[in-house]
């Protein structure tokens, strides 16, 4: 068990570092998902099965899908790569993540086995962590608003090199002034 | 210890405001900015009144919905954070009534601003480590959408993506740290009991400390976790930048210290923060040197100010020097006025210059002489940068002074070195703040000369924050009344 715990810890940190360091968005996202899965495994080993399930399903699954969605909306080049060449890899990765989630769920025997019914779980959450439930409700609403905004429209990938004021970036100031006058 | 539902008032006012601003923004779409903005201002005012009422009561106050389980815990630290969040939140929501930042999506923008404010208030009100994390996430998720709010602009989306990825990794590490504490204490996370449960543990607790510092440290922009800052602050709408730089980032530093205050004295938490703080203030100042884009300059200059705060907390926790923690908390308060005012003023200038022939309304060369056309906005920036540099008698002076005094209290040559480090960094910052003043009040060219005055609705919050910057400098006791009790709470381990 100790070896497994240590492996989960090492995997979490390594994959998290990879998520930050990777230059390829896709590698970064999949690394982050992997870190979430490793963290979920650690949660389970640490005796927090419900946290493990939430981590696997929400952080590794839902968040990954959101990241991929955002890439498809914003980065045309990467989105094309995902669609054309890397789609099988993404599918396999997401399938593997789902598999891990199902295995964790299976190990738990569902939330109802040994932990009381779903109703008891809900009652326990409400009576023990009411403020967090309230906060998470607001958090989810805020998250939905954020997603609505981020998916509101596509930008034209050809205007990548334009600053907030509409002036080109990555060029000298003389050329900026020239464009401003024209 | 008293229990009253009033303890929930500030949070509930802001939560209600989040839903109400969305609904009002949707229903009354023709005048959405005004209607939604007024609702947001009302919500923040209600939260401020609730906070004031709690402040007049005997602290600490606890309350849990249903009377059992984990609820909120109102201490002097909670009041401090709530006041800072609501005051800056009030200025920002008044600013948004003009509708210059919301890109036509008021029904989304105002709720997100309120959620960021509510997250900071919640960090102060959190009664255990998990609640602290949840409210931290509320603040983070709201800003995830605020940074790339101009979704049609590629640079904003790119900044938002970098911000989201880095901060999500930070959040994962933070919850990992919380889970380590949970496992080590056998399920105890509440401030107070967790301190006792962690007594005698060092190895796992040390690992948890590192995860919490790195996790929350990403949002706090501690070097080397600061790389998202310049893009995120520069590309956000002005009011979101003000909220990020003036509130969210310093609040993350407070969250770190609140979380770390539960760990036993055997772990050198203070020393760790001193090292991170020293590196952050020094590297941040060097990064800001030479910047000619005013918004990016202010963004980079936010990094050393987090460094001062973390450094002050570190000295306070390391040697039990309350004066350094006083300085750090005072700087958090002052930073809200200084950075908030500066970013809002830059936004107002950008708004006015957008309709002129000025090539780049953020570049110092193109802003030459804007002080003569927009004296309110440029004057606010001038006051803010002088205060940020620590020039007396403005707000930024007192926090730095107390941190220097705290550093000097450390015995021997190390104390002198720590004090000199802060003083040296303050002088270093003049290297990038003074060119700002020179540009703002240089001779204006024709393009800048055609700019209009600062719009009244934008000028009001800018003037209010500038007045706060001056008032806190001249009458610092106003701030110390708030800061002193909060320091006692932090140094006693956030226990009632």
């Amino acid at each position: 068990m100790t070896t497994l715990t240590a492996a989960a810890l090492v995997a979490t940190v390594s994959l998290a570092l990879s998520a930050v360091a990777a230059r390829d968005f896709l590698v970064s996202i999949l690394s982050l998902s992997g870190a979430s899965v490793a963290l979920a495994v650690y949660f389970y080993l640490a005796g927090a099965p419900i946290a493990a399930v939430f981590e696997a399903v929400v952080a590794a699954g839902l968040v990954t899908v959101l990241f991929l969605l955002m890439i498809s909306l914003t980065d045309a080049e990467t989105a094309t790569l995902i669609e054309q060449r890397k789609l099988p890899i993404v599918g396999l990765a997401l399938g593997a993540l789902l598999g891990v989630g199902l295995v964790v769920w299976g190990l738990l025997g569902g939330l109802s086995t040994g932990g009381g019914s779903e109703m008891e779980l809900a009652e326990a959450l409400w009576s023990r962590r009411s403020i967090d439930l309230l906060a998470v409700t607001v958090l989810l609403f805020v998250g939905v608003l954020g997603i609505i905004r981020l998916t509101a429209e596509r930008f034209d990938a050809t205007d990548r090199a334009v600053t907030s004021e509409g002036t080109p970036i990555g060029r000298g100031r003389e050329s900026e002034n020239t464009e401003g006058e024209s | 210890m008293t229990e009253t539902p009033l303890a929930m008032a500030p949070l509930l006012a802001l939560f209600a405001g989040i839903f109400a601003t969305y609904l009002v923004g949707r229903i009354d779409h023709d005048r959405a900015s005004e209607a939604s903005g007024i609702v947001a201002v009302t919500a923040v005012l209600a939260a401020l009144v609730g906070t004031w009422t709690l402040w007049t009561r005997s602290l600490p106050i606890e309350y849990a919905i249903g009377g059992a389980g984990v609820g909120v815990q109102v201490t002097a630290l909670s009041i401090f954070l709530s006041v800072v969040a609501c005051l800056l939140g009030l200025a920002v929501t008044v600013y948004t009534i003009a509708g210059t930042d919301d890109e036509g999506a008021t029904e989304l923008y105002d709720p997100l601003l309120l959620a960021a404010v509510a997250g900071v208030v919640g960090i102060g009100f959190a009664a255990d480590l998990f609640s602290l994390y949840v409210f931290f996430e509320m603040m983070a998720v709201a800003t995830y959408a605020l940074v790339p709010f101009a979704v049609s602009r590629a640079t904003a989306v790119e900044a938002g993506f970098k911000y989201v990825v880095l901060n999500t990794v930070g959040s994962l590490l933070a919850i990992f740290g919380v889970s380590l504490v949970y496992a080590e204490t056998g399920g105890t996370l509440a401030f107070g009991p967790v301190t006792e449960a962690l007594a005698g543990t060092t190895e796992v607790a040390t690992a948890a400390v590192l995860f919490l510092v790195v996790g929350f440290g990403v949002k706090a922009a501690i070097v080397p976790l600061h790389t998202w800052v310049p893009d995120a602050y520069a590309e956000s709408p002005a009011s979101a930048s003000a909220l990020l730089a003036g509130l969210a980032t310093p609040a993350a530093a407070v969250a770190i210290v609140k979380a770390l205050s539960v760990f036993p004295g055997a772990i050198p938490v203070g020393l760790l923060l001193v090292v991170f703080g020293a590196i952050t203030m020094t590297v941040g100042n060097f990064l800001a040197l030479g910047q000619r884009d005013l918004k990016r300059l202010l963004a980079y200059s936010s990094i050393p100010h987090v460094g001062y705060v973390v450094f002050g907390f570190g000295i306070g926790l390391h040697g039990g020097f309350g004066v350094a923690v006083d300085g750090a908390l005072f700087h958090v308060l002052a930073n809200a006025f200084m950075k908030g005012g500066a970013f809002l003023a830059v936004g107002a200038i950008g708004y006015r210059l957008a309709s002129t022939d000025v090539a780049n309304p953020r570049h110092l060369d193109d802003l030459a002489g804007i002080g003569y056309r927009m004296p309110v906005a440029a004057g606010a920036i001038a006051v803010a940068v002088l205060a940020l540099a620590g020039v007396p008698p403005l707000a930024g002076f007192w926090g730095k002074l107390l941190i220097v005094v705290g550093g000097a209290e450390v015995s021997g040559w190390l104390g002198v070195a720590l004090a000199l480090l802060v003083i040296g960094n303050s002088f270093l910052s003049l290297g990038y703040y003074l060119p700002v003043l020179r540009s703002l009040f240089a001779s204006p060219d024709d393009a800048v000369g055609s700019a209009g005055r600062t719009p009244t609705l934008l000028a009001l919050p800018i003037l209010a924050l500038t007045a706060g910057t001056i008032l806190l400098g001249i009458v610092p006791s106003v701030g110390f009344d708030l800061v002193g009790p909060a320091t006692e709470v932090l140094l006693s381990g956030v226990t009632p």
Side-chain angles (χ1 to χ4, degrees), chain A residues 8-9 12-13 16-17 19-20 25 28-29 32 35-36 39 42-43 46-48 55 59 63 67 70-71 74 126-132 134-139 141-143 145-156 159-167 169 173 176-177 180-181, chain B residues 8 11-12 15 18-19 22 64-65 68-72 102-103 105 107-108 111-112 115 128 130-131 134-135 137-138 141-142 144-145 148-155 157-158 160-161 164-166 168-169 172-173 175-176 179-180 182-183 189 211 234-235 357 359-363 365-366:
Chain A
L9 284 171
T12 304
V13 176
L17 287 173
V20 178
F25 281 163
S28 191
I29 291 167
L32 189 63
S36 295
L39 192 59
Y42 176 77
F43 282 169
E55 182 66 29
V63 172
F67 272 136
M70 191 168 167
I71 275 194
T74 56
W126 183 247
S127 62
R128 288 182 204 163
R129 307 215 61 98
S130 54
I131 185 67
D132 297 328
L134 184 63
V136 167
T137 306
V138 177
L139 182 60
F141 181 69
V142 171
L145 294 185
I147 291 168
I148 290 172
R149 182 59 192 165
L150 293 176
T151 56
E153 53 190 295
R154 288 168 181 267
F155 72 80
D156 182 0
D159 73 356
R160 263 189 98 67
V162 177
T163 67
S164 54
E165 280 70 39
T167 51
I169 57 173
R173 294 197 46 71
E176 289 177 19
N177 291 332
E181 288 165 8
Chain B
M8 293 289 294
L11 279 175
L12 289 180
F15 288 170
I18 291 169
F19 291 102
Y22 176 72
I65 300 168
V70 177
V72 294
D102 59 28
E103 305 262 333
E107 77 279 12
L108 303 176
L112 291 169
D128 79 356
F130 187 71
S131 291
V134 170
F135 283 111
E137 278 300 286
M138 184 184 292
V141 169
Y144 289 164
F149 201 81
V151 288
S152 58
R153 209 172 62 220
T155 47
V157 175
E158 188 176 329
F161 193 84
V164 170
V165 170
L166 282 170
T168 304
V169 174
L172 281 172
L173 295 177
I175 192 63
F176 190 61
S179 74
L180 282 175
Y182 184 89
L189 288 175
F211 278 113
E235 296 302 330
D357 293 332
N360 185 346
R362 289 188 345 205
H363 199 282
D365 293 345
D366 293 336

Side-chain angles (χ1 to χ4, degrees), chain B residues 65-86:
Chain B
I65 300 168
V70 177
V72 294
Q73 186 184 64
V74 185
T75 63
L77 181 66
S78 322
I79 299 291
F80 169 78
L81 265 185
S82 187
V83 168
V84 176
C86 290

Side-chain angles (χ1 to χ4, degrees), chain B residues 93-117:
Chain B
T93 46
V94 169
Y95 188 92
T96 58
I97 292 176
T100 56
D101 281 354
D102 59 28
E103 305 262 333
T106 309
E107 77 279 12
L108 303 176
Y109 194 73
D110 285 341
L112 291 169
L113 284 179
L114 287 179
V117 174

